[in-house]
Amino acid sequence: MSRIILHCDLDCFFAAVEIRDNPQLKGKPVIIGADPKEGKGRGVIATCNYEARKYGLHSAMPISLAYRKCPHGVYLKPNGNKYHKVSNEVMELLERYSSNFQKVGTDEAYLELTEITLNFEKAYEIANNIQKEVFKKIGITISIGIAPTKSLAKIASDENKPNGITIVKPEKIFDFLKEKDITRIPGIGKKTKVYYVKKGIRKIGDIIKTPLPTMIKLFGKHGKWIWNVANGLDHRKVKEFYEERKSISAERTFLSDTDDFNEILSKFEDINTRIHKSILKHHITYKTITLKIRFEGFITYTRSRTLPFHIQDEKYVLKIILELFKEFSDKKRKVRLVGIKLSNLEKNQKVRQISLLPFAYT
Ligand code: TTP
Ligand code: MG
């Protein structure tokens, strides 16, 4: 049975809010980001409206370059508190359309409609009502993708921006995807694309045509994942338990306080293995590793290390934990409790990128 999932994404979010609050900006290129200082400014664009995009401007572009391309644009500093408030208002409104709701970042959310309707035309009506309500009550536009999986709904919401609704019915998946560049798949950026292009894969159609065992042979787990995405086989639920969680942790108290390194080490190994069972099961990656240690007398310390990328690697975690533990190992105090926490969690896509970039690991 096919599911029906909506992916809703606000159009040029920060810029849209500024234009709403100052209608004189309408029709002008509006850029939110660092101060361009007449071309000498440092920093980047956070976002810009569609008028500014006509000049080739986009998120993350250096503001000095943006100024060269579009000196007559209106450059504004971001107003984070305001966007945060607007984001909350939008999410509250969206959440009322389905209890199966998942906010992603500040301006995106998934809504699963499967329990409400199995009819794509009805889902279109609902999407239309969402657009109207968001515009009427909040004063900005939103684009919506309607598809049988999360990843397809996300690709679809990007198809017809701004203020678009795009439906991808199960029988139209191939037609919809075949000519698209592989970077339209969430999780494939410019760098990852290089690996695929080397093997002759540029369009999503090339992925669909490649047999799954070949994809796995060439690109490992990542290849399997994008093959599934391209073939409409992304079974991730809306409202994934682990996507909502901030961290996964476990701790153990010793039966009696100890200063025996081997005993402590084996506790760390136990905890680490246990955490990684659920990490593996739910395809979670993490960036921050935290050691918790409590000594006799309940004196407790935590020490963290944040990596520059997401990983999923039990041995590496143990290595970091032992490095963090060194600070405490020469103390003449007995240990009462040890714990490990993994945070900065993300669903699998990034670890697959890292498996393509083994050098990034060391
Ligand atoms: P996006 O949804 O990626 O971008 P957008 O809403 O501005 O434009 P689009 O119409 O293409 O959806 O990001 C949402 C907001 O997050 C965006 O308005 C500004 C902020 N943002 C940054 O600050 N830096 C970035 O690099 C990106 C991509 C977004
Ligand atoms: Mg957006």
Side-chain angles (χ1 to χ4, degrees):
M1 183 201 70
S2 170
R3 298 185 293 156
I4 299 192
I5 293 169
L6 263 51
H7 179 258
C8 309
D9 188 318
L10 292 164
D11 300 317
C12 55
F13 177 40
F14 295 179
V17 173
E18 296 304 337
I19 296 164
R20 176 195 75 172
D21 294 347
N22 182 0
Q24 286 186 340
L25 298 175
K26 225 174 169 179
K28 296 179 185 164
V30 175
I31 301 98
I32 314 298
D35 184 348
K37 295 186 179 156
E38 299 188 337
K40 294 187 196 83
R42 296 167 66 104
V44 297
I45 297 182
T47 193
C48 56
N49 67 351
Y50 285 73
E51 275 75 15
R53 292 183 201 191
K54 288 180 195 156
Y55 295 86
L57 272 53
H58 56 78
S59 294
M61 174 184 275
I63 203 76
S64 53
L65 177 60
Y67 191 82
R68 257 179 278 146
K69 287 176 178 277
C70 185
H72 61 290
V74 179
Y75 289 81
L76 301 170
K77 273 192 303 195
N79 184 344
N81 290 340
K82 184 155 85 172
Y83 310 143
H84 187 70
K85 193 167 156 274
V86 176
S87 166
N88 285 343
E89 288 164 6
V90 173
M91 295 302 160
E92 266 172 38
L93 187 156
L94 292 178
E95 207 168 357
R96 276 192 239 119
Y97 283 85
S98 168
S99 55
N100 206 343
F101 161 90
Q102 184 187 355
K103 173 182 185 277
V104 188
T106 79
D107 86 327
E108 292 175 52
Y110 292 98
L111 286 168
E112 173 134 20
L113 298 186
T114 312
E115 304 280 307
I116 296 162
T117 182
L118 290 172
N119 178 314
F120 276 83
E121 278 69 36
K122 180 83 180 115
Y124 184 89
E125 265 178 48
I126 294 173
N128 214 349
N129 288 341
I130 292 175
Q131 280 192 328
K132 283 189 192 142
E133 197 185 353
V134 170
F135 192 70
K136 192 164 159 234
K137 298 202 172 139
I138 320 272
I140 56 179
T141 62
I142 189 160
S143 293
I144 302 176
I146 308 173
T149 70
K150 283 172 101 173
S151 39
L152 292 174
K154 188 168 165 72
I155 296 170
S157 72
D158 210 28
E159 180 71 5
N160 209 359
K161 269 180 166 286
N163 205 25
I165 299 179
T166 303
I167 300 189
V168 186
K169 291 185 184 177
E171 66 273 19
K172 298 281 187 195
I173 294 174
F174 181 70
D175 281 346
F176 175 69
L177 293 177
K178 64 182 178 195
E179 293 302 323
K180 295 196 186 337
D181 191 275
I182 57 169
T183 53
R184 290 287 300 275
I185 294 181
I188 301 190
K190 280 187 200 145
K191 284 181 194 155
T192 310
K193 183 182 171 180
V194 174
Y195 289 88
Y196 283 87
V197 170
K198 271 188 197 153
K199 306 285 181 193
I201 291 180
R202 284 172 190 279
K203 291 181 191 166
I204 303 181
D206 301 330
I207 299 169
I208 298 172
K209 282 184 228 147
T210 306
L212 177 58
T214 311
M215 287 294 291
I216 294 174
K217 209 171 123 208
L218 292 174
F219 309 110
K221 271 189 181 176
H222 191 267
K224 184 179 176 190
W225 167 248
I226 67 160
W227 191 89
N228 281 336
V229 168
N231 284 282
L233 298 172
D234 163 13
H235 300 300
R236 291 175 304 158
K237 293 189 192 108
V238 170
K239 210 182 198 174
E240 287 268 10
F241 180 57
Y242 279 102
E243 281 181 10
E244 293 197 336
R245 280 185 69 152
K246 293 227 162 22
S247 67
I248 300 175
S249 62
E251 51 188 46
R252 295 274 169 83
T253 307
F254 292 97
L255 289 176
S256 57
D257 299 351
T258 182
D259 53 7
D260 178 346
F261 178 74
N262 285 328
E263 203 183 341
I264 294 167
L265 174 65
S266 100
K267 228 22 146 205
F268 277 136
E269 285 172 337
D270 267 355
I271 297 170
N272 198 26
T273 303
R274 213 178 70 157
I275 294 176
H276 276 86
K277 267 195 190 139
S278 49
I279 289 277
L280 288 169
K281 188 167 153 212
H282 297 278
H283 309 286
I284 303 298
T285 58
Y286 41 82
K287 244 168 92 166
T288 302
I289 299 159
T290 302
L291 160 79
K292 179 172 174 181
I293 185 159
R294 176 172 295 152
F295 292 98
E296 40 192 353
F298 282 90
I299 303 153
T300 310
Y301 299 90
T302 58
R303 292 290 182 269
S304 295
R305 174 137 344 138
T306 296
L307 306 168
F309 41 77
H310 283 80
I311 64 159
Q312 187 195 68
D313 190 332
E314 188 176 331
K315 280 193 188 131
Y316 196 75
V317 169
L318 187 65
K319 180 174 168 266
I320 300 286
I321 286 292
L322 294 178
E323 281 178 21
L324 295 169
F325 178 71
K326 262 186 207 148
E327 178 187 340
F328 304 101
S329 59
D330 59 346
K331 299 263 161 60
K332 292 277 163 272
R333 286 178 291 179
K334 286 193 173 172
V335 178
R336 182 183 185 85
L337 166 150
V338 289
I340 299 176
K341 178 169 91 179
L342 303 175
S343 53
N344 257 316
L345 307 181
E346 210 167 87
K347 271 307 248 194
N348 56 21
Q349 302 183 4
K350 293 269 167 65
V351 76
R352 286 164 175 152
Q353 286 184 347
I354 283 157
S355 69
L356 288 173
L357 303 167
F359 55 84
Y361 241 106
T362 48

